[in-house]
Amino acid sequence: MTIQWFPGHMTKARRQIQEKLSLIDVVIELIDARLPLSSRNPMIDEILQGKPRLIVMNKADLADPAVTKQWIAYFKQEGHMAVEADASSGVGLKEIPILAKELLRDKIEKQIAKGMNPRAVRALIVGIPNVGKSTLINRLAGRNIAATGDRPGVTKGQQWIKVGTDMELLDTPGILWPKFEDQNVGYKLAVTGAIREEILNVEDIAFFAVKYLVRYYWEPFKERFDLKEPPQDDENPDEIVAVMEAVGRKRGCLVSGGRVDLEKASSILLRELRAGKLGRYSLEAPY
Ligand code: GDP
């Protein structure tokens, strides 16, 4: 279920995270590797108040690997440490406690110099709904912990989960709202399934996806649906709709008179795209 974000929810979500900041040493900011900007909270810098932060680009298994590498370099240039991960299979997760500790190296070295015994690094996972927070917590914990619910109002007793000997994680993640000030962001989130289709029209979402696939991922797209030539002009809506119709015909989405059921074709296309059947894709590149 996706949250409908209203100003009151945003204020509450923000407050809930800020209340936890005093308990932790480092924030693990989870973003979707396919859309690293659109899946980030627009106020994240302000909300985290300078707390050390590790950016984890989750669902990297679905993203275009070359583009993910560009993003990691981009974040580094911006002064942030970023890693790619696939929380569902566990790939890339071993790095997380190591890097979290690395972020706090100066502090830890000072503690050691004073003769103190540094305790495990305490971390909080934050991110927008559906980005994989619960999946990541469960994987790091090695058992089922977090309820895969995403209502910001839900509160329960907080617990620390041990992740190896070097890290402890709060069992409830911080839930943040995505960036939805521009319509393209909404479409990108909808293409990946991060927001519900009822909010935007399914055919419009598929139209947006097809336009993007035609431009950047034509070969795998063509292969999957036996398409012929790419549109001459991908800014021409009629040509994009013609591609959607070809997809529909390939999948047998026909109504009386041989017309294509575009709504059905759109749902099928999005389902296959989200499941990775068209290969790995990214919807945003940094350069
Ligand atoms: P949350 O709302 O942030 O807690 O997100 P969830 O942990 O509930 O994950 C949302 C969906 O994304 C679930 O269907 C997960 O199985 C899936 N998911 C989470 N992480 C990954 C990942 O790294 N790769 C892939 N392919 N799917 C993931």
Side-chain angles (χ1 to χ4, degrees), residues 58-59 61-62 85-88 128-135 148:
N58 195 37
K59 307 197 187 187
D61 55 308
L62 300 173
D86 167 4
S88 58
I128 67 168
N130 269 314
V131 73
K133 296 179 298 298
S134 308
T135 309
T148 322

Side-chain angles (χ1 to χ4, degrees), residues 226-274:
D226 272 337
L227 303 171
K228 305 282 175 278
E229 291 304 308
Q232 304 246 311
D233 174 9
D234 60 22
E235 289 296 337
N236 179 352
D238 292 342
E239 291 199 60
I240 299 299
V241 171
V243 175
M244 291 167 73
E245 285 171 346
V247 167
R249 275 193 297 274
K250 180 70 188 166
R251 290 289 178 266
C253 309
L254 297 174
V255 283
S256 59
R259 277 189 307 113
V260 173
D261 181 343
L262 269 188
E263 190 180 338
K264 199 166 165 201
S266 298
S267 294
I268 292 176
L269 171 74
L270 291 171
R271 198 164 62 225
E272 294 187 22
L273 181 65
R274 287 174 191 147

Side-chain angles (χ1 to χ4, degrees), residues 24-28 100 121-125 160 167-170:
I24 55 142
D25 306 304
V26 58
V27 171
I28 296 172
V121 171
R122 291 192 171 154
L124 168 70
I125 290 177
W160 293 104
M167 191 163 101
E168 287 176 3
L169 194 62
L170 271 181

Side-chain angles (χ1 to χ4, degrees), residues 72-92:
I72 289 174
Y74 167 88
F75 284 125
K76 197 170 172 191
Q77 219 173 41
E78 299 277 297
H80 293 301
M81 202 183 268
V83 278
E84 55 182 281
D86 167 4
S88 58
S89 76
V91 171

Side-chain angles (χ1 to χ4, degrees), residues 159-187:
Q159 294 199 5
W160 293 104
I161 300 162
K162 280 199 192 319
V163 182
T165 49
D166 288 343
M167 191 163 101
E168 287 176 3
L169 194 62
L170 271 181
D171 68 342
T172 27
I175 300 157
L176 284 167
W177 62 96
K179 198 171 181 173
F180 27 42
E181 66 266 27
D182 96 52
Q183 210 185 24
N184 279 348
V185 170
Y187 280 121

